[in-house]
Amino acid sequence: MPRTQRNDNFIDKSFTVMADIILKILPTNQKAKEAFAYYRDGMAAQADGEYAEALENYTEALTLEEDPYDRSYILYNMGLIYASNGEHDKAIELYSEALELNTNLPQALNNIAVIYHFKGERAKEMGDAEGAEQLYDRAADYWKRAIRMAPNNYIEAQNWLKITGRSTMDIYF
């Protein structure tokens, strides 16, 4: 049974009805409408924690979607799933692909930074201080890019950059 027929709560049903109306009245081709339907179902599955189903829907949406901006958000959402499943390298790959299509995704830059910081913490725990520093530097580079795009966001990252001496930026809110 399609996800659009399984929504149990009022908000999900309302969203589905609105999305279906928008799909019907959008002046776009059938392929783009189908891509949006798969994307919508992917988001719903992801919200329900059904990651395998979400990835299937996102993968199908990617095969149909031609717009780079829309593709970037599909890839970004796929990256979220892989990151939450601990598949950090795959998540970084997907976030990077999303950034190639849409350079205005500070959240993807932030998420890559978080992964590199996490890897730095792991390297530090394993006694690899030099490797940890390299990973922290990579995290810092991504956080600086994200903060330049969204200066009022990522306050914890801004503090970490200041405390560790990795940034002298004057962007801080």
Side-chain angles (χ1 to χ4, degrees), residues 71-84:
R71 289 178 63 82
S72 73
Y73 280 96
I74 296 167
L75 291 163
Y76 173 79
N77 283 331
M78 292 173 77
L80 290 173
I81 293 171
Y82 281 101
S84 70

Side-chain angles (χ1 to χ4, degrees):
M1 172 184 305
R3 176 163 290 281
T4 55
Q5 295 175 0
R6 287 191 278 158
N7 291 328
D8 295 337
N9 69 49
F10 175 76
I11 294 171
D12 284 346
K13 286 180 183 176
S14 299
F15 173 76
T16 300
V17 168
M18 291 296 289
D20 287 341
I21 291 170
I22 291 169
L23 270 179
K24 289 176 184 166
I25 63 172
L26 271 177
T28 187
N29 66 40
Q30 187 61 30
K31 192 173 177 184
K33 289 179 181 184
E34 286 179 42
F36 178 77
Y38 279 109
Y39 179 65
R40 179 200 60 212
D41 288 349
M43 288 191 309
Q46 186 173 358
D48 290 343
E50 300 291 339
Y51 297 140
E53 181 181 344
L55 286 172
E56 287 176 16
N57 281 298
Y58 289 148
T59 300
E60 190 61 34
L62 276 177
T63 63
L64 297 167
E65 185 57 64
E66 295 172 355
D67 181 71
Y69 184 81
D70 292 340
R71 289 178 63 82
S72 73
Y73 280 96
I74 296 167
L75 291 163
Y76 173 79
N77 283 331
M78 292 173 77
L80 290 173
I81 293 171
Y82 281 101
S84 70
N85 287 337
E87 295 181 55
H88 298 131
D89 293 334
K90 181 67 175 175
I92 289 172
E93 177 186 321
L94 290 163
Y95 292 141
S96 297
E97 285 182 51
L99 286 163
E100 287 174 18
L101 297 173
N102 179 0
T103 58
N104 192 27
L105 281 173
Q107 61 271 39
L109 294 167
N110 175 66
N111 292 356
I112 292 171
V114 168
I115 292 170
Y116 280 127
H117 186 270
F118 173 79
K119 288 181 168 209
E121 291 290 306
R122 291 291 167 128
K124 186 176 176 182
E125 289 172 7
M126 302 297 266
D128 182 8
E130 186 177 320
E133 287 302 312
Q134 290 174 350
L135 289 162
Y136 289 148
D137 287 344
R138 289 187 83 178
D141 290 340
Y142 280 95
W143 267 323
K144 286 187 244 182
R145 288 174 57 195
I147 292 165
R148 281 187 193 99
M149 294 170 84
N152 294 324
N153 296 351
Y154 317 118
I155 305 305
E156 288 182 35
Q158 291 183 38
N159 289 334
W160 179 81
L161 288 166
K162 273 181 131 175
I163 290 167
T164 62
R166 285 186 165 82
S167 179
T168 57
M169 293 177 7
D170 274 340
I171 287 183
Y172 307 102
F173 65 102

